């Protein structure tokens, strides 16, 4: 039988190595837990179905005489921003688009702290990210924030046919909601 004699320095070295490995393991576990806790969680109270995010494509409502728009979802936002961008063409819109902008702000506010369950990969994502993605994919939308900014900077010779100051305030709040502020 062999006898192993450990020198005090070797014993300290082995002990320090084992302790540092344990510390690294606990640090990596803590980092992993932080990353997992940062991911959105899909619980029934905070999940919005895709059909609510997109909205019905064929469900129109009359906004003003001669002006119709879709009721809800990304489709409604596309229509609202289209009307606000071309408000000079819609003489029947008397409020300067403030009602449209207010509806859009409230609609975006519904999705603020909500999540969307992606069935294709089984993960949970922020609903606002899905709205931005679907808006980009729409044939009339480019980027949601850029389109809103374009309307905010819209000016004509005649201020009568630009969005009202109230509508612009609502649109600024829409930008804040989309950016997550």
């Amino acid at each position: 039988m062999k006898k192993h004699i450990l020198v005090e320095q070797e014993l300290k070295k082995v002990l320090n190595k084992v302790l540092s490995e344990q510390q690294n393991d606990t640090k990596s576990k803590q980092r992993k837990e932080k990353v997992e806790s940062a991911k959105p969680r899909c619980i029934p109270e905070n999940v919005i179905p895709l059909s609510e995010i997109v909205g019905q494509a064929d469900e129109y409502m009359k906004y003003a005489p001669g002006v119709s728009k879709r009721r809800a979802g990304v489709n409604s936002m596309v229509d609202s921003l289209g009307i606000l961008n071309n408000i000079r063409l819609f003489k029947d819109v008397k409020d300067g688009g403030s009602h449209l902008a207010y509806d859009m702000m409230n609609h975006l506010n519904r999705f603020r702290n909500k999540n969307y369950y992606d069935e294709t990969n089984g993960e949970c994502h922020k609903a606002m990210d899905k709205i931005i993605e679907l808006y980009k994919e729409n044939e009339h939308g480019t980027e949601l924030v850029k389109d809103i900014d374009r309307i905010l900077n819209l000016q004509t010779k005649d201020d009568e046919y630009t969005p009202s100051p109230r509508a612009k305030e609502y649109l600024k709040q829409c930008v804040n909601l989309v950016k997550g502020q």
Side-chain angles (χ1 to χ4, degrees):
M1 184 183 236
K2 286 185 178 179
K3 284 188 176 181
H4 292 286
I5 300 176
L6 291 174
V7 182
E8 188 177 345
Q9 283 182 330
E10 289 178 20
L11 183 62
K12 285 181 179 180
K13 192 185 289 184
V14 170
L15 189 60
N16 284 335
K17 184 179 177 183
V18 170
L19 288 175
S20 67
E21 285 176 0
Q22 287 177 349
Q23 285 178 343
N24 287 339
D25 287 346
T26 57
K27 286 180 181 178
S28 66
K29 284 180 184 177
Q30 288 173 346
R31 281 190 212 120
K32 194 174 187 179
E33 288 173 1
K34 283 182 182 179
V35 167
E36 288 177 3
S37 67
K39 282 183 177 178
R41 295 187 179 260
C42 281
I43 54 176
E45 292 82 29
N46 75 347
V47 174
I48 297 216
L50 184 62
S51 60
E52 267 187 61
I53 294 173
V54 175
Q56 294 294 323
D58 58 351
E59 191 177 324
Y60 286 88
M61 64 178 254
K62 189 174 186 176
Y63 174 66
V67 181
S68 297
K69 73 176 207 74
R70 287 173 276 200
R71 283 195 184 278
V74 174
N75 292 324
S76 174
M77 284 189 277
V78 169
D79 292 347
S80 296
L81 289 174
I83 293 168
L84 287 168
N85 193 33
N86 298 305
I87 201 160
R88 68 190 182 288
L89 301 175
F90 302 106
K91 308 285 188 221
D92 294 329
V93 177
K94 302 292 183 196
D95 64 352
S98 60
H99 183 73
L100 278 174
Y102 180 78
D103 283 348
M104 190 168 137
M105 180 187 70
N106 282 331
H107 188 68
L108 282 170
N109 199 30
R110 278 189 48 223
F111 300 113
R112 185 174 54 181
N113 294 322
K114 302 292 184 184
N115 295 320
Y116 158 72
Y117 180 72
D118 190 358
E119 294 174 0
T120 57
N121 60 12
E123 292 182 3
C124 203
H125 302 285
K126 290 183 177 181
M128 199 61 74
D129 293 341
K130 189 65 177 176
I131 288 171
I132 293 168
E133 176 188 335
L134 289 170
Y135 187 85
K136 273 185 191 176
E137 290 176 3
N138 190 293
E139 63 182 299
H140 299 293
T142 53
E143 286 189 40
L144 187 55
V145 174
K146 284 184 180 179
D147 285 352
I148 294 172
D149 283 338
R150 186 180 322 123
I151 294 167
L152 286 171
N153 297 324
L154 190 67
Q155 290 181 352
T156 61
K157 296 174 193 172
D158 213 359
D159 275 349
E160 182 180 348
Y161 299 115
T162 59
S164 69
R166 179 174 280 169
K168 288 184 178 186
E169 286 301 316
Y170 292 142
L171 290 173
K172 286 177 189 174
Q173 186 60 31
C174 288
V175 170
N176 291 338
L177 288 170
V178 172
K179 288 181 178 179
Q181 297 176 346

